[in-house]
């Protein structure tokens, strides 16, 4: 562990990442550049091992590592570059033990007069056969600047580092570069220019230490053009000779401002063709080589793309890109699979496979990749949010998680398994049945099922119709035939993106219905109704394959054949000629092509579409392609697979274990499925032959489960309950593998809930079950023991719960300790029932009703959370279709002596919105990790979210919420789970043991922080309470942080306890109440909220918005610039609780001439513009709301800050404006009672030349108005205005002291540190300031009392004590943190940084001076 006294903890955007390897070549450490700091983490575990400051003022922009073989420990050489600085270093680490010992040594910093864009270690002396490297024995390095000039970083005999210019490429201004050493000693340079060009050039590195100015020639190899914007990222691939790309053996990948990713062929580098010597010469001008086109191009991301990388396995290649939209996108690289008689202009194809969205805000700035021993690639990304995440990618599939399994299974696969298992039970002496044959046409139709990759070229001869390319996916989804006379039917859906030849792109979709008719042995294509998207409209064309061949179930086609057939269709005046070209290999349809020729008065084009599937192994073909359909059912057969396929569908799922589940079907069947390990030993292998990954068996078929059924699992046990359409309630007995009835209710079951109860002094399991039937306004509550399961004892009368009017039950929960039922409804109402009263009444009525928790949307979750202390539940979790979840503290009031009811009053302590929704469908609590897990749907994705860590752990593209599905979280603490769903009559399963990614560093806000507030230091029970740091940012969220006072580099000083939001614009200001229980927040659009904040054990922090201040204008166009709060005594009387705290809130709004015109009518009515408004919170008349006390106006200049002055902080308001003045407002009368008198400006004082950005006050005398007003201006000046009371007038005497050029840019924040008591003279006060110049300056002010207040500044002296650099850009806020050792300062802006214990040095220096 490195302890650097100069290192302050920081959360900055991650600007550089790199991996190192250990002694055995395994990944050992992760290096991260975070501002000027280098942080070292253990691989994948998030343990921070070291922090070292590399540069004084510049951020780290790149890290290059060179691992050296060593016998005892790991040694890694470091090349770290900043904007214009370069530094070499050496990192030593021991074997992979915990904790790892890390040592870092650095050479002095070298600075160039140009931006440094890339670098590498020199290949001439990078051999690991030499002696052990040390900081006095470091390899030479090469760096490239923004003007395409290469420099060598050399060391003389005294080991002093220096730069030497060694080569130069074409004279261009670059945005990106990749410097790659070659095995033959050359240095290959790929440069991306501002104008969109790519320059590929090289030079020899064999004489890095030669004395000549240009010791070797530079050669321009290629110039590529095609990008329509600046090239932001560029990467040279390794050798790809064995990856099946034909003549393409090596590539360059580039990304640009035009949002495209392009690949360029550089395979002919070894032939040295068309080289241009770039060595400077007076008679030989530099010339560029002819441009060539790219070999692949794709458009991706929602905004600019910053960088690209190549990923490769043994025979697969992919490209991964990182963008401004904070996503990483995975692109599979393949050759065009179907090129019959077609000359493709781009022989390679980039296909989008996956999007990884693990960051918030804007931009992924850093990335690093490393290949694992299991052939997976570990991708690490760092973003502007300061977050570092790792995840594993299998190149051939683009899947995440080394322990993830994905499968799909059609009804035909299930039928084949059931039939095979049935045949295996038949006596071997029984003669086999006849082999039923299939025609070629039927075989082709079956083979069309599934998902295909489609690429379509459209060439139009008319200018009115665009030409271009369509890329996407096409799915033949099997469904029951919708018309008589057809045996099979597909719904064809294709989705993708169409890019015109003019580079315009837009999403495109198309739908048809394909049918097979056995009588005519033909395939027909039909149009789909435009208003339905699934219903058949009219015939398009017919497909016939008249070869006369039939295939047996054990037969196959010839080894290879191509079938071509054409058809015709007249649509109005347009003639369509579709031609199908089917290529079959060993009896399987590998790829096919569809060509449309369209002729008509307004149409003249040709569309050529190529279809192919993802590469699969020979044993991964579905059973539909390998086996024929079995014969129809005979009377003596117990099950017919043909009947199951055509007339049945999967309905409801429930999990038995992590690897097994039950599912009901529309025909009343109950099937059991078991997930089996994949046939491949490669972790994460994606098996396509689903009959080998899911083992199916038939439990039984029951008439009560036909058409409609409910199947649930009891909370806390393995009991599976089923509800039928006739009111039958059953359970699954796993010992006999049967469904057994329990009760028969009066009507169809609409809702079921069950919970395991632990009986007293017995091992017998008791379950409580709640059932709701359609049309009955009551709920039935039963209790069953193990002995009741096998009987149907109707003598036990249920407990009846009366349902309110229009109450449709959607969720339920039972608290056995309190004997309380909670039912959630579709209209957002939660009803509470006291079960202890069931002996007194025949039907229980609700004892409490909770409304408006989730508006009028359905309640989807009611669940008790872990007990806080004792044996009673402490919190409830609820969620609704409004997209919010809430945590409620259970408050139990004393029983009512008349009704004997215990009144349960849930008090909401937290309400928030997860990053998915509005469909929040389920939740669970991980007892092992003490974490809250929730899941639901976001658009077409199923999402699992860790509410405690505020991170997404699973994301599956399933098509959306409107489908049958089930999810089960794993209980082993790995954040994994299994999700099963039905899509297009196909059963899909996604299972993972661990989370989709690992968070190495949590980071912070995704956008710049605009305000920060630290809660007051509170002492409770002689114990100092934790201070909370609240930050608000442009991402519209508020974060609450805890502060770690202990100096421990293994963990961060800042720990995010919770994130919540309600604002619609960036946060402008935050303030805490004096007791730290309330947080006031303000933003644009006149938004002003009051949050009640308190700790919640399993969430970290809970926050609920309990009040919203009314807007000033109808449109809400003004921005809240600042506000001030002060606590006042509560009102007396019967209408107000004397214990309730009250606050005076003064809010200042923006007001420009543009808005003043829009409000002229309102001004004439009110005679004043409400630029300043004073509110009392809470109102004594209406509870927790705001009461307007008064409003006033300023000039046409905007108000920027406000503060209270006076002994009670309620006598005078002080405001600052964009005119550089401070203004004083006597408003004491407005605070005492509702007054018609409007606050007005008493007088103003000019301080700054232009806008005042920040203001705070230092009281000099608690009994008077004497104070110092510290202001920071847009002019870079620091204003110190002394304000003293005057005996001759109520108006105080003021005089300003202005420190010009206190900062080199605008001063955005000032903060008070400490001061001496007011009874001492002179008084000494210290404060700190910061601004856009990224300097933290500490000032000491001494104030001497003066007898004559005519010129107060005579007794004020100011001196600068310290001047430090902060790595935080755009500093917006400063907050002082009081610790046991002193006072530190937290700096906020684009990130957060902590400067520890500034006061001890100041006090020591001040004592010595005096």
């Amino acid at each position: 562990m490195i302890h650097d006294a100069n290192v302050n903890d920081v959360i900055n955007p991650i600007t550089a990442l790199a991996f190192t390897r250990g002694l055995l070549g395994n990944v050992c450490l992760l290096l991260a550049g975070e501002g000027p700091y280098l942080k070292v983490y253990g691989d994948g575990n998030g343990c921070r091992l070291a922090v070292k400051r590399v540069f004084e003022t510049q951020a780290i922009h790149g890290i290059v590592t060179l691992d050296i073989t060593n016998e005892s420990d790991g040694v890694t050489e470091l090349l770290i570059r900043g904007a214009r600085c370069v530094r070499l270093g050496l990192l030593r680490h021991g074997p992979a033990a915990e904790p790892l010992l890390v040592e870092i040594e650095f050479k002095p910093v070298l600075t160039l007069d140009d931006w440094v864009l890339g670098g590498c270690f020199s290949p001439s002396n990078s051999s690991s056969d030499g002696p052990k490297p040390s900081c006095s024995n470091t390899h030479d390095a090469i760096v490239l600047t923004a003007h395409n000039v290469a420099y060598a970083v050399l060391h003389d005999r005294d080991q002093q580092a220096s730069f030497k210019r060694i080569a130069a490429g074409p004279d261009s201004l670059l945005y990106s570069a990749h410097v790659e050493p070659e095995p033959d000693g050359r240095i290959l340079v790929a440069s991306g220019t501002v104008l969109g060009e790519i320059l590929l050039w090289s030079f020899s590195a064999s004489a890095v230490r030669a004395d000549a100015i240009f010791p070797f020639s530079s050669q321009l190899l290629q110039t590529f053009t095609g990008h329509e914007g600046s090239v932001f990222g560029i990467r040279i691939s390794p050798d790809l000779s064995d990856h099946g790309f034909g003549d393409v053996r090596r590539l360059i990948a580039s990304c640009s401002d035009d949002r495209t990713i392009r690949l360029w062929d550089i395979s002919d580098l070894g032939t040295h063709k068309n080289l241009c010597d770039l060595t400077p010469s007076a008679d030989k001008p530099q010339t560029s080589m002819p441009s060539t086109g790219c070999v692949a191009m794709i458009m991706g991301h929602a905004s600019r793309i910053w960088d690209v990388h190549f990923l490769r396995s043994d025979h697969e290649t992919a490209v991964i890109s990182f963008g401004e939209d904070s996503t990483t996108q995975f692109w599979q690289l393949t050759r065009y699979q179907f090129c019959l008689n077609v000359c493709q202009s781009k022989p390679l194809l980039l296909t989008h496979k996956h999007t990884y969205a693990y960051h918030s805000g804007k931009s992924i700035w850093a990335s690093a990749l490393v290949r694992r021993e299991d052939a997976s690639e570990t991708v690490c990304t760092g973003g502007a949010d300061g977050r570092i995440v790792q995840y594993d990618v299998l190149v051939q599939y683009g899947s995440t998680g080394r322990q993830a399994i994905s499968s799909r299974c059609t009804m035909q696969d299930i039928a084949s398994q059931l039939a095979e298992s049935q045949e295996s039970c038949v006596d071997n002496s029984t003669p086999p049945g006849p082999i039923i044959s299939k025609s070629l046409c039927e075989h082709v139709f079956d083979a069309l099922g599934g998902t295909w990759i489609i690429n379509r070229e459209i060439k139009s001869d008319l200018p009115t119709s665009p030409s271009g390319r369509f890329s996407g996916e096409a799915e033949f989804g099997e469904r029951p035939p919708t018309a008589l006379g057809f045996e099979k039917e597909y719904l064809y859906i294709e989705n993708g993106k169409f890019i015109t030849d003019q580079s315009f792109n837009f999403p495109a979709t198309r739908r048809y219905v394909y049918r097979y008719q056995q009588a005519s042995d033909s395939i027909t294509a039909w149009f789909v109704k435009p208003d339905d998207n699934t219903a058949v409209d009219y015939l398009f064309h017919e497909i016939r394959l008249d070869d006369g061949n039939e295939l047996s179930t054990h037969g196959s086609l010839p080894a290879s054949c191509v079938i071509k057939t054409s058809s015709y269709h007249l649509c109005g005046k347009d003639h369509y000629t579709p031609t199908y070209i089917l290529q079959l290999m060993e009896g399987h349809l590998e790829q096919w092509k569809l060509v449309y020729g369209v002729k008509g008065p307004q149409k003249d084009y040709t569309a050529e579409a190529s279809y192919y599937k993802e590469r699969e192994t020979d044993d991964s073909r579905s059973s539909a392609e390998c086996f024929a359909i079995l014969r129809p059912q005979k009377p003596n057969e117990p099950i017919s697979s043909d009947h199951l396929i055509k007339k049945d569908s999967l309905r409801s799922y429930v999990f038995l274990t992590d690897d097994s589940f039950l599912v009901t079907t529309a025909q009343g069947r109950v099937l059991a499925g078991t997930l089996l390990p994949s046939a491949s030993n490669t972790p994460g292998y994606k098996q396509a032959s689903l009959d080998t990954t899911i083992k199916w068996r038939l439990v039984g078929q029951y008439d009560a489960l036909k058409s409609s059924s409910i199947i649930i699992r009891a909370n806390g046990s393995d009991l599976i309950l089923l509800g039928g359409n006739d009111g039958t309630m059953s359970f699954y007995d796993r010992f006999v593998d049967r469904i057994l009835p329990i009760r028969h209710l009066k009507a169809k079951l609409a809702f079921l809930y069950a919970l395991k109860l632990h009986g007293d002094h017995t091992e017998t399991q008791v379950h409580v079950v709640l059932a709701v039937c359609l049309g009955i306004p009551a709920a039935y509550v039963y209790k069953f023991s193990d002995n009741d399961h096998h009987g149907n004892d109707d003598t036990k009368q249920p407990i009846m719960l009366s349902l309110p009017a229009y109450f449709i039950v959607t969720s339920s929960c039972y608290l056995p300790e309190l004997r309380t039922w909670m039912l959630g409804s579709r209209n957002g109402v939660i009803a509470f029932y006291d079960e202890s009263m069931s002996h007194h009444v025949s039907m229980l009525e609700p004892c409490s009703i909770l409304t408006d928790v989730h508006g009028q949307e359905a309640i989807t979750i009611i669940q008790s959370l872990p007990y806080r202390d004792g044996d009673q539940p402490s919190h409830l979790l609820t969620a609704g279709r409004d997209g919010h979840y809430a945590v409620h503290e259970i408050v139990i009031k004393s029983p009512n002596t008349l009704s004997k009811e215990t009144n349960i009053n849930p008090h909401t302590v937290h309400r928030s919105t997860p990053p998915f929704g509005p469909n929040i469908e389920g939740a669970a609590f991980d007892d092992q990790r003490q974490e809250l897990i929730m899941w639901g749907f976001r658009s077409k994705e199923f999402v699992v979210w860790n509410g405690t860590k505020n991170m997404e752990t699973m994301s599956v593209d399933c098509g959306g919420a409107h489908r049958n599905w089930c999810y089960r979280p794993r209980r082993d603490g790995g954040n994994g789970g299994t999700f099963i769903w039905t899509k297009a009559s196909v059963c899909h399963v996604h299972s993972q043991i661990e989370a989709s990614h690992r968070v190495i560093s949590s980071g912070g806000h995704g956008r710049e922080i605009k305000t920060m507030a630290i809660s007051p230091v509170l002492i409770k029970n002689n114990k100092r309470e934790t201070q909370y740091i609240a930050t608000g940012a442009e991402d519209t969220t508020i974060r609450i942080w805890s502060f770690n006072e202990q100096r421990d580099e293994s963990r961060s000083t800042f720990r995010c306890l919770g994130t919540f939001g309600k604002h619609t614009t960036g946060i402008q200001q935050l303030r805490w109440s004096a007791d730290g229980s309330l947080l006031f927040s303000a933003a644009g659009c006149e938004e002003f909220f009051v949050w009640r904040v308190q700790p919640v054990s399993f969430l970290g922090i809970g926050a609920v918005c309990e009040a919203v201040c009314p807007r000033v204008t109808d449109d809400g166009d003004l921005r809240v610039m600042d506000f001030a709060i002060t606590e006042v005594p509560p009102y007396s009387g019967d209408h107000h609780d004397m214990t309730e705290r009250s606050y005076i809130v003064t809010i200042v709004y923006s007001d420009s001439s543009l808005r003043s015109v829009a409000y002229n009518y309102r001004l004439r009515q009110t005679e004043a513009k409400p630029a300043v408004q004073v509110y009392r919170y809470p109102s004594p008349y209406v509870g927790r709301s705001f009461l307007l006390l008064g409003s006033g106006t300023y000039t046409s200049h905007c108000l920027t800050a406000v503060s209270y002055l006076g002994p009670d902080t309620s006598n005078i308001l002080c405001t600052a404006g964009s005119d550089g003045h401070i203004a004083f407002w006597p408003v004491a009368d407005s605070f005492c009672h509702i007054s018609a008198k409007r606050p007005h400006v008493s007088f103003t004082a000019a301080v700054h030349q232009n806008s005042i950005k920040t203001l705070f006050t230092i009281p000099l005398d608690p009994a008077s108005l004497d104070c110092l007003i510290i202001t920071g201006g847009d002019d870079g000046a620091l204003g110190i205005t002394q304000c003293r009371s005057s005996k001759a007038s109520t108006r105080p005497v003021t005089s300003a002291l202005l420190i010009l050029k206190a900062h080199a840019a605008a001063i955005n924040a000032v903060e008070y540190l400490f001061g001496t008591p007011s009874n001492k003279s002179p008084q000494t006060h210290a404060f700190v300031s910061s601004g856009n110049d990224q300097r933290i300056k500490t000032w000491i002010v001494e104030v001497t009392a003066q007898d004559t207040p005519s010129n107060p500044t005579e007794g004020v002296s100011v001196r600068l004590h310290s001047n430090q650099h902060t790595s935080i850009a755009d500093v917006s806020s400063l907050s002082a943190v009081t610790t046991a050792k002193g006072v530190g300062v937290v700096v906020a802006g684009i990130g957060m940084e902590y400067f520890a214990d500034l006061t001890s040095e100041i006090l020591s220096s001040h004592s010595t001076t005096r």
Side-chain angles (χ1 to χ4, degrees), residues 197-497:
E197 290 182 321
I198 295 174
L199 308 175
L200 181 64
W201 60 284
S202 67
F203 60 91
S204 174
S206 60
V208 172
R209 294 180 175 271
D211 296 331
I213 299 179
F214 290 96
F216 29 77
S217 62
S218 304
Q219 294 176 326
L220 178 61
L221 306 177
Q222 288 286 356
T223 300
F224 299 107
T225 60
H227 279 297
E228 298 177 1
S230 301
V231 179
F232 293 137
I234 194 166
R235 195 73 52 179
I236 303 173
S237 78
D239 184 25
L240 305 176
S241 300
D242 57 346
H243 284 222
F245 297 139
D247 295 335
V248 179
R249 301 182 302 277
R250 202 168 188 189
L251 297 168
I252 286 179
S254 61
C255 59
S256 169
D257 196 12
D258 61 6
R259 294 175 48 208
T260 64
I261 301 168
R262 298 173 186 258
L263 301 183
W264 317 85
D265 185 9
I266 57 171
S267 303
D268 59 349
L269 288 182
T271 61
H272 297 280
K273 296 179 180 179
N274 301 324
L275 300 184
C276 176
D277 190 359
L278 296 178
T279 304
S281 175
D283 56 354
K284 183 175 62 177
Q286 297 185 19
T287 59
S288 61
M289 302 304 301
S291 300
T292 59
C294 65
V295 295
M297 186 272 288
I298 194 74
M299 179 171 285
H301 292 273
S303 52
R304 292 173 291 185
I305 307 174
W306 296 130
D307 202 3
V308 288
H309 278 277
F310 283 97
L311 295 90
R312 63 170 188 158
S313 61
D314 293 336
H315 302 289
E316 301 285 344
T317 304
V319 174
I320 194 165
S321 58
F322 314 91
E324 189 181 22
D325 57 0
S326 293
T327 67
T328 302
Q329 298 195 9
F330 182 93
W331 310 88
Q332 191 79 45
L333 179 61
T334 57
R335 295 182 69 185
Y336 273 98
Q337 297 293 315
F338 192 65
C339 302
L340 298 178
N341 301 322
V342 176
C343 179
Q344 298 287 355
S345 60
K346 296 179 176 58
L348 301 184
L349 177 67
L350 286 169
T351 305
H352 182 266
K353 286 294 183 180
H354 200 84
T355 297
Y356 311 96
Y358 301 141
H359 293 271
S360 62
K362 291 180 63 175
S363 296
I364 294 178
W365 291 123
S367 58
L369 285 75
V370 68
R371 190 174 185 185
R372 301 282 184 175
E373 296 177 352
D374 60 1
S376 67
E377 291 270 358
T378 294
V379 180
C380 185
T381 57
D385 55 358
R387 191 179 184 92
I388 304 176
V389 297
Q390 267 186 226
Y391 46 93
D392 303 307
V393 176
L394 292 171
V395 178
Q396 58 267 46
Y397 305 116
S399 59
T400 58
R402 282 176 285 175
Q403 304 297 328
I405 299 175
S406 297
S407 302
R408 61 188 302 272
C409 192
T410 65
M411 292 299 296
Q412 186 167 339
D413 296 324
I414 299 174
S416 299
Q417 276 203 43
L418 297 179
E420 290 174 3
S421 62
Q422 182 178 337
E423 290 177 357
S424 63
C425 298
V426 179
D427 189 359
N428 293 333
S429 60
T430 304
I435 298 177
I436 305 302
S437 60
K438 289 197 302 184
S439 68
L440 174 62
C441 189
E442 185 180 3
H443 183 90
V444 168
F445 186 87
D446 292 339
L448 288 175
T451 303
W452 299 80
I453 304 297
I454 176 175
N455 293 284
R456 180 181 293 115
E457 290 279 352
I458 298 178
K459 297 180 181 180
S460 176
D461 294 333
L462 298 178
T464 55
S465 299
S467 300
R469 172 179 294 173
F470 171 86
S471 298
E473 289 187 351
E475 181 180 7
F476 287 81
E478 184 182 8
R479 69 180 189 181
T482 56
L484 297 177
F486 297 96
E487 283 72 24
K488 301 177 182 182
E489 186 171 302
Y490 290 131
L491 175 61
Y492 172 88
I493 304 175
E494 69 175 45
N495 290 293
K497 182 179 292 185

Side-chain angles (χ1 to χ4, degrees), residues 862-1098:
I862 305 178
Q863 184 172 321
S864 63
L865 291 173
Y867 299 173
R868 182 173 50 195
D869 28 59
D871 57 355
Q872 289 189 351
S874 59
H875 289 85
L876 291 175
L877 172 71
T878 63
R881 290 288 167 83
D882 61 343
H884 294 83
Y885 73 96
V887 178
H888 314 272
E889 185 178 13
I890 300 177
V891 180
I892 303 177
K893 296 185 177 180
S894 59
N896 188 314
T897 56
L898 297 178
S899 63
K900 305 298 182 181
E901 290 185 353
T902 301
N903 193 358
I904 297 178
N905 183 22
H907 174 61
T908 304
V909 297
H910 182 68
R911 189 171 187 266
S912 185
T913 305
F916 64 90
N919 299 89
I920 306 175
E921 302 293 348
F925 190 82
D926 190 331
D927 296 326
Q928 183 172 343
R929 295 197 176 197
Q930 294 294 297
E931 294 172 353
L932 178 64
I933 310 297
M934 285 181 281
W935 55 87
F937 293 88
R938 177 181 59 211
S939 184
K940 294 184 178 181
E941 292 182 323
F942 175 79
V943 177
V944 181
W945 184 67
N946 187 315
T948 304
K949 290 185 175 180
N950 195 26
M951 63 172 284
E952 182 181 301
T953 60
M954 179 189 290
S955 175
V956 181
D957 187 356
C958 65
H962 301 290
R963 62 197 65 256
N964 298 317
W965 62 274
C966 189
Y967 175 73
R968 176 184 172 94
R970 298 185 68 91
R971 303 293 180 177
D972 53 8
N975 275 326
T978 302
F979 176 55
I980 184 169
W981 74 99
T982 302
K983 180 180 179 181
S985 301
V986 177
C987 173
H988 299 259
V989 177
H990 178 90
S991 179
Q992 60 187 52
I993 298 177
E994 58 187 18
S996 58
H997 63 286
R998 302 174 291 280
V999 178
I1000 307 301
S1001 179
S1002 299
H1005 288 280
R1007 298 289 300 276
E1008 58 271 22
I1009 297 173
K1010 303 298 292 185
T1011 181
M1012 174 174 56
I1014 295 186
S1015 64
V1017 178
L1018 302 177
I1019 305 297
K1020 293 183 180 179
N1021 300 325
N1022 296 324
K1023 183 179 179 182
R1024 185 173 179 273
E1025 294 292 314
T1026 302
Q1027 280 184 287
Y1028 294 127
I1029 303 175
T1031 56
E1034 279 293 332
D1035 60 6
T1036 73
T1037 64
I1038 299 173
R1039 286 178 178 252
I1040 305 296
W1041 309 78
S1042 65
F1043 185 80
N1044 176 29
E1045 296 183 12
Q1046 304 296 326
R1047 190 168 180 80
D1048 183 5
E1049 294 186 9
S1050 64
R1051 58 175 180 163
S1052 175
T1053 301
F1054 309 106
R1055 176 173 173 262
C1056 184
L1057 300 178
T1059 303
F1060 52 92
K1062 182 182 175 68
H1063 289 282
T1064 59
T1065 61
I1067 314 296
Q1068 294 296 312
Q1069 194 59 264
L1070 296 172
R1071 295 279 191 273
W1072 288 94
S1073 63
D1075 63 350
S1077 63
L1078 295 181
L1079 179 65
F1080 299 81
S1081 65
C1085 298
E1086 304 174 20
E1087 295 177 343
F1088 186 88
F1089 302 150
V1090 181
W1091 306 84
R1092 187 165 295 275
V1093 181
Q1094 58 185 311
V1096 178
S1097 58
F1098 43 84

Side-chain angles (χ1 to χ4, degrees), residues 1136-1156:
H1136 193 71
D1137 185 359
M1138 292 296 292
T1139 62
E1140 184 75 27
R1141 298 177 182 269
S1142 296
Y1143 302 88
I1144 300 297
V1145 183
T1146 301
I1147 307 172
V1148 295
Y1149 295 89
S1150 61
D1151 183 18
S1152 65
S1153 58
L1154 179 64
R1155 293 191 181 94
S1156 64

Side-chain angles (χ1 to χ4, degrees), residues 23 66-77 89-94 103 105 107 125-139 159:
L23 303 180
L66 179 63
D67 297 309
I68 308 299
T69 303
N70 197 293
E71 296 179 357
S72 59
D73 56 5
V75 179
T76 302
E77 292 199 41
L90 203 66
L91 183 146
R92 296 181 182 274
H93 52 88
E103 297 179 359
E105 304 173 49
K107 285 282 188 177
N125 56 358
S126 61
S127 173
S128 60
D129 299 333
K132 298 179 182 179
S134 63
C135 202
S136 61
N137 178 5
T138 308
H139 289 139
Q159 294 302 313

